[in-house]
Amino acid sequence: MAQTQPRKTRLTFGVMLQGAGSHMNSWRHPGNPADASVNLDFFIANARKAEENGIAFAFVADGLYINEKSIPHFLNRFEPLTILSALATTTRKLGLVGTVSTSYSDPFTIARQFASLDLISGGRAGWNAVTSPLEGSGRNYSRPHPEHSLRYEIAQEYLDVAKGLWDSWDDDAFVRDRQSGRFFDREKLHTLGHKGRFFQVEGPLNIQRSAQGQPVLFQAGASEAGIGLAGRHADAVFANHVPLEDAQALYRSIKTSALAHGRSADDVKIFPGAGPIVGRTHAEAEEKYQAIRNLVSIDEALAYLGRYFDHHDFTAYPLDAPFPELGEIGKNSFRSTTDRIKRNAALKHQTLREAALEAATPRTDLIGTAEEIADVLIGRVEKQAADGFVLGFPVLGQGLSDFIELVIPVLEERGVYDRSLSGTTLRDHLGLPRKTSRYVDASAGVQARRAG
Amino acid sequence: MAQTQPRKTRLTFGVMLQGAGSHMNSWRHPGNPADASVNLDFFIANARKAEENGIAFAFVADGLYINEKSIPHFLNRFEPLTILSALATTTRKLGLVGTVSTSYSDPFTIARQFASLDLISGGRAGWNAVTSPLEGSGRNYSRPHPEHSLRYEIAQEYLDVAKGLWDSWDDDAFVRDRQSGRFFDREKLHTLGHKGRFFQVEGPLNIQRSAQGQPVLFQAGASEAGIGLAGRHADAVFANHVPLEDAQALYRSIKTSALAHGRSADDVKIFPGAGPIVGRTHAEAEEKYQAIRNLVSIDEALAYLGRYFDHHDFTAYPLDAPFPELGEIGKNSFRSTTDRIKRNAALKHQTLREAALEAATPRTDLIGTAEEIADVLIGRVEKQAADGFVLGFPVLGQGLSDFIELVIPVLEERGVYDRSLSGTTLRDHLGLPRKTSRYVDASAGVQARRAG
């Protein structure tokens, strides 16, 4: 790291395609179709608009358990691998990143599906490997939900297996010589033979490597175990939007973890979420924020707050008294979010009503004019709190249009953004080199072959 | 059944998209790209050509285990759900059917992925639910391969779960009333609460029903257990192309099984595979067959034969002596295929060389002129041996073009085929009604609701 030259600041974005937007009631906003979470045309239109304006990838989040209290766009939505594959043939350069849980799937299947998406899309696939925080997931999968540290132990081995399977065939393994009838080179086939604590997977995978070598591996989760997983395996990390100092600390932790695993700090890119609400004036942005906030009733806000705190019933407390003391409630699920809510409530002396409404419609430093938003985004990259951002617009239709119309021109003027995606693969867009096979000896530049 | 009117004979086709064709060395044929099994443009071109000519669906087969002896297009191919999703946005009416194993997947995930494909495609998804014959599959999935009867017991319960999950939301459950903020009708949400021998799945599924209600359920496998599964659960059955009497017997067995499960004989459609090789003259068709047969060396043919007989080593026998006695070898894997090979060898007094070359390039009654092929296909439907066919052309590019150019006009002249797909969903194409939710009381025409 010591010898790296100062680099020109350059902003890279992904965009979350999550129904009508990241806001719990975005479906009520007139700027979106109410059925956005299952509206193919809406997905395609936003994906294309993002691509045409240089946004590097679409990001499709996921969850494996719902009940009647879940927020609307979680109740009824496309499954990530299928919708991303549908977008693969309706876009040309856009990266296609989707969430799949390592706690509730098989590595042979998932390695294969992402490899297939990667091949179909010409090297644009990314997998956000998560371990599933929701306890209820186990009830849809005939097994107990593994506790936090076990989930991460499983994930570590799972990703070992997936990455091993992705290298089953050397890049030039398939010779396909019609004259001789030789379809592949036996020396370039590698059978994994993984025998681990959680998985025994023989291989090989029945699909070749892609234009980018392997799908891009995203990881999300800022716990110590999550940072360890990211340092060892991830090409990119999706993080929460948190105050600058916290974001810098997380950024440092992940880069340090990468170094500890014998990788370079540049090998893993940090992409916090960002949900800008932009106006032509600061007041207009504030009006847009209030309009979104007004989509939520106080009952819905209390239920939303409850989701983070183990479905705690907040209706039992007086609405206009100070935010209640909660003790240990919520410490085992969305820990960083519950800590943030509690800290914010204390800092601003919020009542329960105020805290709930703000939790349902978070107020961030990304509400303002294009210049103000550009300042924050550029500042975060310059101050080593981010390498890029996953744009999770509270209201997707309006948010993406406003961002393209108002913020991107400012970023272009400041010389930190370019609407043309010059490369073709997701790794190109993220500034990551093509992934070399584990069987290639980099120093000698020749294939180091292992017996199958 | 007694009261049904005689129906006009009408032929319905699916087409297998399996690399360069169903023949083991189709990749060597000049009529295809050699990389057909991973060539997206080739998939899209064939899918569109099929659709434009009234073929009802594409069928993507699958397997979960390969080794260096596997036939070429199995070594490196797209995964079914991802390629079908990619085809969903590049076709408009074509049904999209893919194989997924019930022995190596989770019902919540697979119900969801097919429901998502069904929604993305506007009601065109079909799932060929198989139990995986290949012993090696277990070695890629960290578990022992279940034996035959256990696989079918698992499959029965698996399909109960999947079909239950598909009815999680009534058709009109999502009201999405922006004014009131009411997204869905609580009365129209059904939580499955399945607690069975193999699966415990709470539900509900996080996706709505599609234009065709539920994805079409295909089943493949002609064993007694397979017929039982088809009778209870399947909308359609993919079968082997076998002699007429055998095909009629299977047809009757499946329809009888449907009746025994309280369904109508029309509720399950039988689609044997068919691999026509058509010429302008019979001699030209025979030449095309020989050209395909010549793509296989005798060593490859012996290895291919061995695949069906538990990887038995046929090189140990004299090539030009009569086909060897094999006793119990191969009785536990592809039983119907090994029986057919042995019967054929005895009938024709074949040497091992002849039997191996013919196994690798099967000679059927579908090699001939358009008129000859039309006679066979129409005869099979009229004689109640088939409701339609899955066209598995030995060489896909040439085979599909020839079929469209030569055979379809003859079928049109005879009044049994129409190139326009008049409906929009796969159920429409197959003559199946929209799938009604289990929570709808058909006799009363009202929703019979069960507590979630």
Side-chain angles (χ1 to χ4, degrees), chain A residues 2-54:
Chain A
Q3 299 288 322
T4 54
Q5 282 191 301
R7 286 175 307 180
K8 194 162 171 302
T9 299
R10 177 112 178 57
L11 265 53
T12 307
F13 298 109
V15 62
M16 277 201 121
L17 299 184
Q18 181 163 264
S22 64
H23 185 265
M24 65 167 285
N25 268 351
S26 48
W27 68 276
R28 292 183 71 184
H29 196 280
N32 286 320
D35 68 349
S37 62
V38 288
N39 185 320
L40 178 66
D41 293 339
F42 185 71
F43 271 79
I44 294 175
N46 283 299
R48 286 182 172 160
K49 191 194 278 189
E51 175 178 76
E52 283 159 15
N53 289 284

Side-chain angles (χ1 to χ4, degrees), chain B residues 279-423:
Chain B
R280 283 167 206 280
T281 62
H282 191 89
E284 191 188 70
E286 180 64 28
E287 276 166 32
K288 285 182 181 172
Y289 169 77
Q290 288 299 340
I292 297 168
R293 189 164 161 141
N294 288 340
L295 298 174
V296 185
S297 70
I298 182 64
D299 287 345
E300 289 172 315
L302 292 175
Y304 184 80
L305 194 64
R307 280 187 70 240
Y308 289 108
F309 291 88
D310 288 339
H311 288 284
H312 187 62
D313 179 13
F314 280 96
T315 64
Y317 302 91
L319 273 175
D320 296 307
F323 189 76
E325 277 300 320
L326 294 167
E328 293 298 305
I329 294 162
K331 291 230 163 170
N332 290 320
S333 45
F334 296 90
R335 180 68 175 274
S336 59
T337 303
T338 56
D339 281 353
R340 181 166 46 77
I341 291 167
K342 288 193 266 189
R343 209 183 317 120
N344 194 52
L347 201 71
K348 298 189 188 169
H349 306 289
Q350 287 177 327
T351 61
L352 172 60
R353 184 195 302 273
E354 288 162 345
L357 290 172
E358 193 166 316
T361 311
R363 174 182 283 287
T364 73
D365 54 358
L366 291 167
I367 301 168
T369 63
E371 287 73 17
E372 289 167 334
I373 287 168
D375 286 343
V376 174
L377 296 175
I378 295 168
R380 294 259 168 159
V381 173
E382 287 179 342
K383 292 168 191 157
Q384 303 206 302
D387 293 313
F389 302 92
V390 177
L391 298 166
F393 298 106
V395 176
L396 175 57
Q398 185 190 64
L400 180 58
S401 296
D402 286 351
F403 191 80
I404 288 168
E405 195 185 328
L406 301 173
V407 180
I408 284 183
V410 174
L411 300 175
E412 287 177 314
E413 276 168 35
R414 300 200 189 172
V416 298
Y417 191 76
D418 185 344
R419 275 182 221 236
S420 67
L421 289 167
S422 55

Side-chain angles (χ1 to χ4, degrees), chain A residues 27-35 37-38 40 44 62-68 72-83 85-90 104-106 108-109 112-113 116-117 119-120 138-143 169 174 176-184 186 189 198-208 300, chain B residues 27-35 37-38 40 44 62-68 72-83 85-90 104-106 108-109 112-113 116-117 119-120 138-143 169 174 176-184 186 189 198-208 300:
Chain A
W27 68 276
R28 292 183 71 184
H29 196 280
N32 286 320
D35 68 349
S37 62
V38 288
L40 178 66
I44 294 175
D62 200 32
L64 299 176
Y65 176 75
I66 56 163
N67 62 29
E68 62 184 88
H73 58 248
F74 291 168
L75 294 174
N76 182 16
R77 59 170 163 185
F78 295 128
E79 180 279 335
L81 279 155
T82 45
I83 188 65
S85 300
L87 294 176
T89 43
T90 46
Y104 295 103
S105 64
D106 289 296
F108 192 85
T109 299
R112 202 182 158 210
Q113 291 187 316
S116 187
L117 173 63
L119 208 54
I120 288 168
R139 298 202 291 278
N140 285 331
Y141 283 85
S142 314
R143 62 193 97 155
W169 300 91
F174 293 99
R176 303 188 183 100
D177 179 9
R178 277 190 178 136
Q179 283 311 107
S180 67
R182 192 155 152 273
F183 191 69
F184 71 99
R186 176 66 193 81
L189 162 62
F198 304 106
F199 302 105
Q200 297 79 45
V201 181
E202 183 174 297
L205 197 63
N206 50 357
I207 187 163
Q208 68 179 52
E300 290 172 316
Chain B
W27 69 274
R28 291 183 71 185
H29 196 280
N32 287 319
D35 68 349
S37 63
V38 288
L40 178 66
I44 293 175
D62 200 34
L64 299 177
Y65 175 74
I66 57 164
N67 62 28
E68 63 185 85
H73 58 248
F74 292 168
L75 293 175
N76 182 16
R77 60 171 162 184
F78 295 129
E79 180 279 336
L81 279 155
T82 43
I83 187 64
S85 300
L87 293 176
T89 42
T90 47
Y104 296 102
S105 63
D106 289 296
F108 192 86
T109 298
R112 201 181 158 210
Q113 290 186 316
S116 186
L117 173 63
L119 209 55
I120 289 167
R139 298 203 290 279
N140 286 331
Y141 284 86
S142 315
R143 61 190 101 155
W169 300 91
F174 292 99
R176 302 188 184 100
D177 178 10
R178 277 190 177 136
Q179 282 312 106
S180 68
R182 193 154 152 271
F183 191 69
F184 72 99
R186 176 66 193 81
L189 163 61
F198 304 107
F199 302 106
Q200 297 81 44
V201 181
E202 183 174 298
L205 198 64
N206 49 358
I207 187 164
Q208 69 178 54
E300 289 172 315

Side-chain angles (χ1 to χ4, degrees), chain A residues 149-380:
Chain A
S149 67
L150 179 60
R151 292 205 305 275
Y152 277 90
E153 287 165 35
I154 294 169
Q156 290 277 12
E157 189 181 326
Y158 192 118
L159 297 182
D160 282 339
V161 173
K163 291 161 90 174
L165 288 171
W166 283 334
D167 285 346
S168 291
W169 300 91
D170 291 347
D171 289 319
D172 55 352
F174 293 99
V175 292
R176 303 188 183 100
D177 179 9
R178 277 190 178 136
Q179 283 311 107
S180 67
R182 192 155 152 273
F183 191 69
F184 71 99
D185 182 343
R186 176 66 193 81
E187 298 290 307
K188 296 176 180 177
L189 162 62
H190 308 281
T191 301
L192 185 64
H194 176 91
K195 289 187 174 71
R197 177 175 163 211
F198 304 106
F199 302 105
Q200 297 79 45
V201 181
E202 183 174 297
L205 197 63
N206 50 357
I207 187 163
Q208 68 179 52
R209 302 178 98 244
S210 81
Q212 64 179 348
Q214 294 185 357
V216 171
L217 209 43
F218 275 73
Q219 188 273 342
S223 67
E224 197 180 321
I227 291 165
L229 187 67
R232 180 159 156 218
H233 283 302
D235 300 303
V237 172
F238 172 50
N240 285 326
H241 182 69
V242 292
L244 177 64
E245 294 71 26
D246 297 346
Q248 287 172 315
L250 180 66
Y251 187 97
R252 277 194 304 272
S253 299
I254 296 167
K255 302 281 184 176
T256 304
S257 175
L259 294 168
H261 285 94
R263 304 170 67 206
S264 121
D266 263 356
D267 286 351
V268 53
K269 309 291 185 186
I270 318 299
F271 279 80
I277 299 175
V278 58
R280 283 168 208 280
T281 62
H282 192 89
E284 191 188 69
E286 178 65 27
E287 277 165 32
K288 287 181 179 172
Y289 169 77
Q290 288 299 339
I292 297 167
R293 188 164 163 144
N294 289 339
L295 298 174
V296 185
S297 70
I298 181 64
D299 285 347
E300 290 172 316
L302 292 175
Y304 184 82
L305 193 64
R307 281 187 70 240
Y308 290 108
F309 290 89
D310 288 338
H311 288 284
H312 187 63
D313 179 11
F314 280 96
T315 64
Y317 302 91
L319 274 173
D320 295 307
F323 190 77
E325 275 302 320
L326 294 166
E328 292 298 305
I329 295 163
K331 292 230 163 171
N332 290 319
S333 45
F334 296 90
R335 179 68 177 272
S336 59
T337 303
T338 55
D339 282 353
R340 181 167 46 76
I341 291 167
K342 289 193 266 190
R343 207 182 318 119
N344 193 51
L347 201 71
K348 297 189 188 169
H349 306 290
Q350 288 176 325
T351 61
L352 172 59
R353 182 194 304 275
E354 289 163 344
L357 290 172
E358 193 166 316
T361 310
R363 174 182 283 288
T364 72
D365 54 357
L366 290 167
I367 301 168
T369 63
E371 288 72 18
E372 288 168 335
I373 288 168
D375 286 344
V376 174
L377 296 176
I378 295 168
R380 293 258 169 160

Side-chain angles (χ1 to χ4, degrees), chain B residues 421-443:
Chain B
L421 289 167
S422 55
T424 60
T425 71
L426 178 54
R427 287 183 188 272
D428 292 340
H429 302 336
L430 300 186
L432 294 164
R434 183 172 192 276
K435 185 83 171 180
T436 306
S437 166
R438 62 177 58 190
Y439 300 104
V440 171
D441 178 347
S443 62

